Amino acid sequence: MPRLATLLATGFGVGYAPVAPGTAGSLLMVPLLPALATLRDGSPTVYTLLLVAAIAVAVWAADRTSVAWNAIDDSRIVADELAGMLVTGAFLPGTWTAAAMAFLLFRVFDVWKPLPIRQLEKRLPGGVGVVADDLLAGVYAGLVGLVLLSLYDVVTG
């Protein structure tokens, strides 16, 4: 299998973490979220293109790696977590507090997999299924994060 697909699928090796590789992959994105929010706010088109490219690369790498390893959604594949965190970050401001919130909420939804997240993973083929559930977990996390930040603003005035 091409080394590039493995390198990307494993988040540059982060997926080989002996404990909680998905969490390690998600953590990889935390320091990038504030900078990416600045990019999003300054150039939404560039951010959207970056997000689409990241999703496409994650699907490709997850698909190639799943086939080579003969294992769908192997825990070492963390490109889906990286893409999911990017989606979560698309909803939230570019602060360190929001980045920490994005991480925590994304992990909750990625592990919990409420409807229809679990069904996406099982019904969609290959890399698309591997990544799609994390993208929807990212949407859920981003929306819940927005609600929590809004409630905080209302309470603190």
Side-chain angles (χ1 to χ4, degrees):
M1 175 180 57
R3 290 181 189 207
L4 180 60
T6 303
L7 185 67
L8 296 172
T10 62
F12 302 95
V14 172
Y16 293 109
V19 177
T23 300
S26 299
L27 273 172
L28 189 63
M29 291 303 299
V30 171
L32 301 176
L33 292 181
L36 290 170
T38 302
L39 173 65
R40 177 199 65 217
D41 296 343
S43 182
T45 303
V46 172
Y47 183 84
T48 302
L49 291 172
L50 175 68
L51 182 59
V52 169
I55 292 168
V57 166
V59 167
W60 172 80
D63 190 66
R64 297 286 302 260
T65 306
S66 291
V67 169
W69 290 346
N70 195 28
I72 300 298
D73 207 3
D74 187 284
S75 64
R76 295 172 289 180
I77 298 172
V78 298
D80 50 338
E81 275 82 14
L82 302 177
M85 283 289 292
L86 275 174
V87 169
T88 303
F91 289 87
L92 301 174
T95 65
W96 288 105
T97 300
M101 178 184 288
F103 169 75
L104 292 172
L105 289 171
F106 175 75
R107 291 309 301 151
V108 165
F109 285 107
D110 189 32
V111 170
W112 177 28
K113 297 188 187 305
L115 286 172
I117 294 173
R118 187 172 309 279
Q119 287 69 24
L120 284 176
E121 180 179 45
K122 292 180 182 197
R123 292 187 180 170
L124 295 174
V128 173
V130 171
V131 175
D133 69 310
D134 292 86
L135 298 179
L136 188 53
V139 170
Y140 282 14
L143 291 173
V144 169
L146 275 179
V147 168
L148 291 175
L149 288 173
S150 295
L151 288 173
Y152 177 78
D153 286 345
V154 167
V155 170
T156 60

